[in-house]
Amino acid sequence: MNRLQQLFQHKKKDILSIYYTAGYPNLPDTLKIAEALEKSGADFLEIGFPYSDPVADGPIIQASSKQSLDQGMTLQVLFDQLKDLRKTITIPILLMGYVNPVLQYGVDNFCKACKEVGVDGCIIPDLPMYEYEEMYRTCFEENGISNIFLVTPQTSEERIRKIDGLSNAFIYLLSSAATTGKNLDVSTAARMYFTRIQAMNLNNPLMIGFGISDKQTFDSANEYASGAIIGSAFVKALSAEGEIEENISAFMKQFR
């Protein structure tokens, strides 16, 4: 059982996950940000490895990815930065990004590197489910890496059941099919969508992402899931003037 699975076994509600882009705002900041987030009360982290064509990301995360890439971030640089991760970080860590860099790195090499540095899971939104099941699942599971699938309002019940069967940590419930950075819209349609998923009584817990930006939207998401994921709002906070650790502490105080 990895750290991520242990977290969801012992904590059922109010789980806070933070996404940020590796190597942003400055290339060496990746581990420093993780340490500050754990200190400030984050339950687990999603570290994004940037890609040149981030189709699902809104402008804030796109800009952070470009800056990170321009500064020299690659998967190998990220793994080098994370080699001492578990000397200071105890909470679960996921890597999130697009499949192309993973394929270039080699899926076997990627999974082994994740295990070596202490990464617990991955979110690769454009990795087809059938490819994961037929080609990569064994590699992920042998290295103790949880693969996280995404569900949108348009996802069929059949596919959601299939995702639930392939998952062993949590399911990432997108608040909408839009790009990241939009505010959470808890409209009648959104509530019906969240309630419909709740009523399926899935085996895996749910985390809601896309549009969670403050205490109000975080609390709204918690009505329907085990917790929520904050990305664009946090990345924006990282770009503010001042010391990174102070900016992180100030941002996190609204939640913890």
Side-chain angles (χ1 to χ4, degrees), residues 85-112:
L85 172 73
R86 291 304 171 190
K87 290 182 179 179
T88 55
I89 303 295
T90 63
I91 60 175
I93 301 289
L94 287 81
L95 297 187
M96 183 172 185
Y98 295 86
V99 71
N100 190 277
V102 177
L103 295 177
Q104 290 181 0
Y105 196 83
V107 176
D108 285 351
N109 293 333
F110 177 80
C111 290
K112 289 174 183 175

Side-chain angles (χ1 to χ4, degrees), residues 25 29 32 36 237-250:
D29 288 339
K32 177 167 67 174
L238 286 179
S239 67
E241 293 183 5
E243 293 294 325
I244 285 179
E245 291 91 344
E246 292 177 4
N247 290 342
I248 292 172
S249 177

